[in-house]
Amino acid sequence: MKTINVPIPGKEYNVHVHSGILFDIDKYIDVNKQIVIITDDFIPKIYLNTILNKIINPLIIEVPMGEDSKSISQVTYIINTMIENKITRSCLVLALGGGVIGDLAGFVASIYFRGVDYIQIPTTLLSQIDSSIGGKVGINSENMKNAIGSFYQPKMVIIDPNTLNTLSIKQKNNGVAELIKYGLIADKSLFEDVCNKDIWSNIEHYITRSIEIKRDYVIDDEHDNGKRQILNFGHTIGHAIEQFSKYSLLHGEAVAIGMLAMAKDTKYHIQLQNCLAKFDLLKTY
Ligand code: NAD
């Protein structure tokens, strides 16, 4: 097991990465709290059922899978459901799912009774190495991605790499785009490994390394005013493409195109192109 500390002043938290950790969730969270689990309807039920073995009578709120759930209507639905079920300020929200659930549940936690505790339990590669770390939470407006949101750090992040076993190849590759990004901005050997090795046989290591890289940018610039913006490499073009495609392109697929465009005049361009092709991330380029 690996624990990565994220020492944001006054909001410090740990990220625990361990295969099988979901079976022991009661060792990490206070199961006597009033717990709200927010998840989506496509995530295999095995993960929810695993944590339900250890949590007594939580409120489970399920939203439809996909980017459309990052919406004000889903926020209203979740908040109304929590109020109807008499969920108090001392509750604990668990975000069980990919980046959509993490962004949505984290945003709800940031505004429910002016803020309640939440824990990220990311289940996609993209959410394990990127979106669950750093406290950016939010939803989309009708015409702009991530237009409504806050910076609101989780109390903890619990990562079980075994959840990736049920992820489709396309969703895995979607996450690999962000792995490649970390390699390009901060760790040449990570980039070389992703391009040349079988990363899946040692994925726990690459998840951990990515989190360390993201942590180092976030702790120096929590609110994204300077250094943290390096993490957006390829994302300005990527977000535009993602939105223009009406989300038929996944986040990582769009960012891949953005990174390649940004690297056009560098010595890494060809290597990056080949690497992205290895993960089927260039089919629309
Ligand atoms: P996602 O949350 O939509 O998940 C992708 C699909 O995988 C969904 O259909 C989901 O039901 C399914 N799924 C989840 N876990 C699974 C599992 N273990 N097995 C099988 N299926 C599973 O997408 P994502 O790629 O995880 O996240 C994308 C979102 O993250 C975007 O909205 C993006 O804006 C956001 N994001 C946020 C940040 C941040 O810092 N907050 C950073 C990057 C991306």
Side-chain angles (χ1 to χ4, degrees):
M1 166 150 122
K2 184 88 185 177
T3 297
I4 303 130
N5 182 251
V6 184
I8 296 175
K11 305 165 198 165
E12 183 168 352
Y13 56 96
N14 283 328
V15 183
H16 301 292
V17 185
H18 184 50
S19 298
I21 194 170
L22 290 187
F23 289 98
D24 291 325
I25 194 147
D26 53 329
K27 294 192 180 130
Y28 298 86
I29 68 172
D30 181 356
V31 290
N32 294 312
K33 280 192 152 200
Q34 211 180 15
I35 292 179
V36 181
I37 302 174
I38 301 177
T39 190
D40 83 36
D41 60 4
F42 189 75
I43 299 161
K45 289 288 175 276
I46 181 176
Y47 309 122
L48 178 62
N49 291 337
T50 300
I51 64 175
L52 285 180
N53 282 330
K54 304 285 177 149
I55 300 173
I56 308 130
N57 210 15
L59 172 64
I60 300 165
I61 304 178
E62 202 174 81
V63 300
M65 67 153 206
E67 187 71 24
D68 286 351
S69 280
K70 275 176 59 172
S71 66
I72 200 76
S73 60
Q74 288 301 340
V75 170
T76 308
Y77 163 69
I78 293 169
I79 286 179
N80 286 342
T81 308
M82 288 169 70
I83 291 171
E84 278 161 21
N85 284 275
K86 301 187 172 44
I87 300 298
T88 67
R89 262 200 83 189
S90 55
C91 74
L92 174 65
V93 171
L94 302 183
L96 177 69
V100 164
I101 289 300
D103 283 12
L104 173 66
F107 181 61
V108 167
S110 77
I111 57 173
Y112 189 69
F113 292 147
R114 297 194 177 83
V116 297
D117 290 351
Y118 80 109
I119 288 177
Q120 294 272 16
I121 310 178
T123 60
T124 62
L125 181 61
L126 184 135
S127 57
Q128 294 184 351
I129 64 173
D130 189 359
S131 60
S132 63
I133 321 293
K136 275 190 188 175
V137 294
I139 56 171
N140 305 324
S141 70
E142 270 175 33
N143 52 6
M144 190 181 239
K145 190 170 162 67
N146 295 332
I148 306 162
S150 13
F151 288 93
Y152 194 66
Q153 302 296 336
K155 289 291 165 198
M156 188 186 294
V157 182
I158 295 174
I159 297 179
D160 189 338
N162 284 347
T163 59
L164 303 181
N165 293 339
T166 51
L167 209 59
S168 67
I169 304 257
K170 186 175 163 73
Q171 289 292 350
K172 283 182 173 175
N173 290 343
N174 179 44
V176 169
E178 296 287 354
L179 260 185
I180 293 172
K181 178 197 77 180
Y182 288 125
L184 284 172
I185 64 172
D187 185 342
K188 192 162 183 280
S189 71
L190 171 62
F191 178 57
E192 299 284 350
D193 279 5
V194 179
C195 298
N196 301 313
K197 289 188 179 170
D198 168 25
I199 51 165
W200 299 110
S201 57
N202 198 12
I203 195 65
E204 199 163 321
H205 164 74
Y206 296 109
I207 292 170
T208 304
R209 181 68 194 116
S210 301
I211 294 167
E212 287 168 346
I213 293 171
K214 180 152 188 184
R215 184 264 319 268
D216 291 346
Y217 284 101
V218 166
I219 57 175
D220 286 342
D221 178 24
E222 185 191 357
H223 294 117
D224 207 3
N225 294 316
K227 179 179 174 181
R228 186 172 175 168
Q229 289 173 10
I230 295 169
L231 293 167
N232 297 334
F233 174 61
H235 281 57
T236 306
I237 295 173
H239 279 158
I241 293 171
E242 193 180 358
Q243 203 173 316
F244 187 71
S245 79
K246 297 199 167 41
Y247 303 106
S248 65
L249 278 185
L250 298 179
H251 180 77
E253 292 172 341
V255 166
I257 298 167
M259 289 193 295
L260 196 60
M262 293 302 290
K264 204 156 191 76
D265 297 322
T266 73
K267 61 179 178 179
Y268 293 108
H269 187 254
I270 297 296
Q271 193 182 359
L272 175 60
Q273 188 161 359
N274 292 336
C275 194
L276 294 172
K278 174 182 165 189
F279 295 99
D280 202 16
L281 285 164
L282 283 184
K283 48 186 174 296
T284 46
Y285 191 63

